[in-house]
Amino acid sequence: MSGRTQRLVGIAAFILFWSAAIDPFLSSVEGGTERIPRPSTGTAFSDSVKTDPDTGLAIDDQLMLVKGQCTACHSSKLILQSHFSRDKWIERIRWMQRTQKLWDLGESEPAILAYLTKHYGPADGAFDGRREPLKKVKWHKPGN
Ligand code: HEC
């Protein structure tokens, strides 16, 4: 063997040896990441209240009523972006009736108001948008 061939064989052996030595380590690393359970993002971040694909309004027994009475003149976005107490909702409806030709809601008014206050009621001031604050937490006392 010439010196050049010997050197090439040496390099090839070196590469073969190390790739074989490293291989179990590499595959255990790969296998390791696969075994980490991934959260299913589909359910983890979805809201518990389903919304109507047309309007974005919360799906509820009163949805069709509210959709019929409240999206005839303007987009549902005006409702979606609002957080009013029941009194404020009454005030807004009276204002629309006084100045925007909104009709008398008659017997459906209480149901509409209940829907609006339930889904578009006052926003909790302390809520920063990341998650609901913990309520009635039972803290574990160290030593018990
Ligand atoms: C007859 C037409 C009409 C109907 C029906 C109607 N609105 Fe309106 N509404 C208006 C107009 C006009 C405005 C003012 C829009 C603007 O400012 O660009 C308005 C504004 C609003 C706003 C924004 C008020 C504010 O001060 O931020 C909300 C919320 C709203 N409407 C909710 C409702 C709800 C809930 C219903 C169903 C009970 C409803 N609207 C039905 C005409 C209507």
Side-chain angles (χ1 to χ4, degrees), residues 65-66 68-82 84 89 92-93 95-96 99-103 105 112 116:
L65 179 63
V66 172
Q69 302 287 309
C70 303
T71 62
C73 301
H74 52 66
S75 152
S76 57
K77 285 193 183 120
L78 286 182
I79 300 169
L80 298 178
Q81 72 192 10
S82 303
F84 297 140
W89 273 117
R92 288 292 88 197
I93 288 172
W95 171 80
M96 281 181 279
T99 63
Q100 311 299 335
K101 300 195 175 74
L102 171 62
W103 45 85
L105 297 171
I112 292 175
L116 293 170

